[in-house]
Amino acid sequence: MLQSTKPNISFTLNAYKKIHDLKYVFVGVLFLLYPVIVIANGLIICIVCLERKLHKPMYFLICNLACINLYGGTAVAPFIITRFLTEDFQITWLSCLVHTFVIYSYVSSDITNLTVMAYDRYISICYPLNYGKIVTPTKVIIAVAVTWCYPFVRITISLLFTARLDICGTIIEKVYCDNYSIVKLACADISSYNIHSSILILFAIVLPFIIIIYSYLRIILICLNVSRKTKTKLFSTCVPHLIALFNFILGSCFELTQSRFDMRHVPYVFRVILSLYFLILSPIINPVLYGIRTQAIKDAVLRKLCSRIYQKQVNVSWVN
């Protein structure tokens, strides 16, 4: 491997070549899933924005999660579909960094928003009488801003370290760019980067996870001392969040394992599917969960649909 001038580097996303025989399967599945991502998350965003009854902190955070899912799904699905159809598996240095930034900021924004949602549920259930004083509209706006700004700043700092590296390799064994795959191609020793990366993982994933676990342990303790009806209601508001969190942890653990350990014993197609699992299915699972499990959102969707159907029937009757 020869050292290259970074602006002229073109990486090869080698995973496309290894699953080339299944390209139409992947393209077909993504063609079906991407419209679902757009429609499902777009519907959540529209319903929360248009329905005055949903102008509350919890629903604004759900709306923000839908925006994050839309951002992440759009960064991944069209990119992979285009690469398969054009059979252009090369990506420039700058494009790879930009794509890495989008994917990492999406993942980081997702866990940050889930952490804020866990805190919101914790205050709502553990301190219901003071909820309005603690969770104010101003604080919600600040929290939403943090879910976007903090990941953007953190990922920018991380990529600045990566941009300083001299690159000797050009093969990335994935269908998208990621930071550690680029770092592994560096000419120099990357032990210092591993320390930096471990610190970032601690603050970006481990710390939010601890906050979420603490919040839900407190919620569970509260639920043990209430009536069955109240307990059912409390758990029903937390179930979508817990499933979304479990989905995030599952996807993140596989990505960390795949990036840092030898996975050659795992079939290549399976590795690609699991690496796309979190990036593609989370933006689908989350709006479905919150749309079905959150009664207020489900009722708002049904009201909007019923009013549309009724309006069409009135218009048809008027014409006839």
Side-chain angles (χ1 to χ4, degrees), residues 125-199:
I125 293 171
C126 298
Y127 303 98
L129 299 178
N130 295 322
Y131 179 78
K133 295 179 181 178
I134 299 173
V135 185
T136 62
T138 302
K139 289 181 180 178
V140 173
I141 292 170
I142 292 172
V144 169
V146 167
T147 62
W148 289 94
C149 295
Y150 166 68
F152 277 35
V153 172
R154 190 182 69 79
I155 302 305
T156 299
I157 294 171
S158 182
L159 289 180
L160 286 175
F161 280 95
T162 303
R164 295 170 59 188
L165 296 172
D166 290 322
I167 305 298
C168 288
T170 59
I171 305 297
I172 294 177
E173 296 291 342
K174 285 192 174 182
V175 292
Y176 55 83
C177 287
D178 76 287
N179 201 30
Y180 198 72
S181 294
I182 300 172
V183 170
K184 286 193 293 187
L185 301 176
C187 305
D189 179 46
I190 60 169
S191 56
S192 61
Y193 174 83
N194 287 332
I195 296 172
H196 165 257
S197 178
S198 299
I199 294 171

Side-chain angles (χ1 to χ4, degrees), residues 1-296:
M1 294 182 291
L2 300 175
Q3 183 173 338
S4 304
T5 305
K6 278 185 285 190
N8 298 324
I9 293 176
S10 286
F11 295 111
T12 300
L13 298 172
N14 208 41
Y16 288 99
K17 296 181 180 179
K18 295 189 177 182
I19 59 172
H20 190 266
D21 292 342
L22 296 172
K23 76 171 187 175
Y24 290 114
V25 174
F26 279 94
V27 169
V29 171
L30 290 175
F31 255 123
L32 291 173
L33 293 182
Y34 181 58
V36 176
I37 292 173
V38 174
I39 293 169
N41 288 285
L43 183 61
I44 294 289
I45 294 167
C46 290
I47 288 296
V48 173
C49 290
L50 295 175
E51 192 70 27
R52 283 187 170 275
K53 292 181 180 179
L54 300 181
H55 290 182
K56 297 177 182 178
M58 183 179 73
Y59 303 116
F60 278 129
L61 293 173
I62 291 173
C63 180
N64 190 47
L65 183 64
C67 293
I68 293 168
N69 290 330
L70 198 56
Y71 167 68
T74 300
V76 178
F79 176 85
I80 295 173
I81 292 171
T82 303
R83 295 287 165 179
F84 269 125
L85 293 180
T86 60
E87 298 199 354
D88 178 14
F89 309 141
Q90 303 292 315
I91 185 168
T92 64
W93 164 257
L94 181 59
S95 296
C96 197
L97 286 181
V98 171
H99 198 236
T100 300
F101 173 83
V102 173
I103 289 177
Y104 275 51
S105 60
Y106 155 57
V107 173
S108 187
S109 293
D110 198 11
I111 186 62
T112 306
N113 196 75
L114 288 174
T115 305
V116 175
M117 291 174 73
Y119 176 75
D120 174 74
R121 292 298 83 208
Y122 163 68
I123 297 299
S124 174
I125 293 171
C126 298
Y127 303 98
L129 299 178
N130 295 322
Y131 179 78
K133 295 179 181 178
I134 299 173
V135 185
T136 62
T138 302
K139 289 181 180 178
V140 173
I141 292 170
I142 292 172
V144 169
V146 167
T147 62
W148 289 94
C149 295
Y150 166 68
F152 277 35
V153 172
R154 190 182 69 79
I155 302 305
T156 299
I157 294 171
S158 182
L159 289 180
L160 286 175
F161 280 95
T162 303
R164 295 170 59 188
L165 296 172
D166 290 322
I167 305 298
C168 288
T170 59
I171 305 297
I172 294 177
E173 296 291 342
K174 285 192 174 182
V175 292
Y176 55 83
C177 287
D178 76 287
N179 201 30
Y180 198 72
S181 294
I182 300 172
V183 170
K184 286 193 293 187
L185 301 176
C187 305
D189 179 46
I190 60 169
S191 56
S192 61
Y193 174 83
N194 287 332
I195 296 172
H196 165 257
S197 178
S198 299
I199 294 171
L200 285 181
I201 289 172
L202 176 66
F203 283 98
I205 296 178
V206 178
L207 185 58
F209 182 66
I210 291 172
I211 294 172
I212 293 169
I213 291 298
Y214 172 78
S215 299
Y216 278 98
L217 284 175
R218 290 293 305 273
I219 290 170
I220 289 170
L221 290 175
I222 292 291
C223 290
L224 293 176
N225 300 316
V226 297
S227 65
R228 178 174 294 182
K229 183 178 180 181
T230 305
K231 190 182 299 183
T232 302
K233 184 179 179 180
L234 292 178
F235 273 117
S236 67
T237 63
C238 297
V239 166
H241 188 79
L242 290 172
I243 295 174
L245 178 64
F246 175 77
N247 189 50
F248 178 89
I249 293 170
L250 192 65
S252 298
C253 286
F254 179 79
E255 272 306 292
L256 291 172
T257 303
Q258 181 175 228
S259 297
R260 286 161 174 76
F261 298 99
D262 185 5
M263 299 285 286
R264 283 178 293 184
H265 60 284
V266 179
Y268 209 91
V269 173
F270 188 65
R271 284 157 56 187
V272 172
I273 291 172
L274 285 180
S275 67
L276 292 176
Y277 157 77
F278 172 68
L279 296 174
I280 297 297
L281 287 189
S282 277
I284 295 174
I285 292 172
N286 290 345
V288 171
L289 277 173
Y290 288 107
I292 293 174
R293 296 288 308 185
T294 306
Q295 191 64 40

